[in-house]
Amino acid sequence: GIQVEQSPPDLILQEGANSTLRCNFSDSVNNLQWFHQNPWGQLINLFYIPSGTKQNGRLSATTVATERYSLLYISSSQTTDSGVYFCAVEIPNFGNEKLTFGTGTRLTIIP
Amino acid sequence: DVKVTQSSRYLVKRTGEKVFLECVQDMDHENMFWYRQDPGLGLRLIYFSYDVKMKEKGDIPEGYSVSREKKERFSLILESASTNQTSMYLCASSLLTGYYEQYFGPGTRLTVT
């Protein structure tokens, strides 16, 4: 099956810093999503981005589908950005598609 | 906004009990999914459903069954709970298969003692 690798596994930053999270995947995908899991366990949708670049406030994401990676940028980090960030991808499978998740990046923002 | 709700945030059950986890979505989505999340193992797909009364096995279906009698509701059933089913259970839905976002509920932390 498809492999999804995220780096770094852990990241500790001071409030106000910028960060880049990476997601590498091993096959062509028709869906790529970034999620933030908050301390209560809820997965929050950040971006649906199988290709191209999107921005939402302090967050932006870029997926280079031909090179099989995606980047999530967080600027001017706040303590509420802490949590685990997951990348998840879906490969074409004749209507039987399902998401495969990476193992996540745990981000800790220190005040 | 899409809303996916789960019947309980926390649940404690005894070994051998039959356990029902309920999930409801309010956006008329065709697809619904059940995952479990464990430290070091990430999120793993248990079952999914593309239509009412239809179900497909995911990566780890053993020990679980599902029911989808209505489009908006997808239930996960543990026929005889065991301690190795202690986990975080997450439900999700999406409009259709392929090229559509999945939206997640808040999760149910199940402890089997």
Side-chain angles (χ1 to χ4, degrees), chain A residues 40-77:
Chain A
W40 297 272
Q42 171 100 48
L43 279 169
I44 309 297
N45 291 48
L46 297 178
F47 293 101
Y48 168 75
I49 186 164
S51 64
T53 297
K54 290 186 177 180
Q55 180 151 11
N56 184 5
R58 297 182 295 103
L59 273 62
S60 64
T62 295
T63 297
V64 183
T66 53
E67 297 187 21
R68 299 181 183 169
Y69 73 88
S70 183
L71 302 173
L72 177 69
Y73 305 97
I74 305 174
S75 64
S76 304
S77 300

Side-chain angles (χ1 to χ4, degrees), chain A residues 12 14 16 21 23 37 65 83 85 97:
Chain A
I12 301 173
Q14 206 77 33
L21 282 59
C23 172
Q37 189 167 40
Y85 289 80
E97 289 83 2

Side-chain angles (χ1 to χ4, degrees), chain A residues 29-31 33 35 37 39-43 45-48 50 86 90 92 95-99 101-103, chain B residues 9 33 35 37 42-43 45 48 50 56-59 88 90 97-106 109:
Chain A
V29 299
N30 63 1
N31 179 0
Q33 291 184 243
F35 296 93
Q37 189 167 40
W40 297 272
Q42 171 100 48
L43 279 169
N45 291 48
L46 297 178
F47 293 101
Y48 168 75
F86 289 100
E90 191 176 83
N96 201 30
E97 289 83 2
K98 48 189 180 179
L99 281 179
F101 283 78
T103 51
Chain B
R9 290 303 306 273
F33 307 83
Y35 297 85
Q37 184 178 21
L43 276 87
L45 182 64
F48 56 106
Y50 290 137
E56 297 284 343
K57 291 180 180 179
D59 299 318
M88 174 70 142
L90 292 158
T97 57
Y99 305 100
Y100 293 93
E101 292 182 78
Q102 283 191 26
Y103 295 88
F104 282 78
R109 287 196 182 274

Side-chain angles (χ1 to χ4, degrees), chain B residues 11 15 19 26 35 40 61 83 85 93 106:
Chain B
L11 206 53
T15 301
V19 180
D26 67 356
Y35 297 85
T83 54
Q85 292 178 310
S93 73

Side-chain angles (χ1 to χ4, degrees), chain B residues 17-65:
Chain B
E17 279 193 79
K18 190 169 187 176
V19 180
F20 293 87
L21 302 182
E22 304 286 336
C23 175
V24 177
Q25 49 92 5
D26 67 356
M27 284 301 293
D28 203 32
H29 282 178
E30 299 292 328
N31 305 324
M32 298 188 74
F33 307 83
W34 275 107
Y35 297 85
R36 65 178 281 177
Q37 184 178 21
D38 301 287
L41 296 176
L43 276 87
R44 294 178 291 167
L45 182 64
I46 305 171
Y47 268 98
F48 56 106
S49 169
Y50 290 137
D51 201 353
V52 175
K53 296 192 185 295
M54 292 185 67
K55 59 185 178 183
E56 297 284 343
K57 291 180 180 179
D59 299 318
I60 51 162
E62 297 77 19
Y64 303 94
S65 62

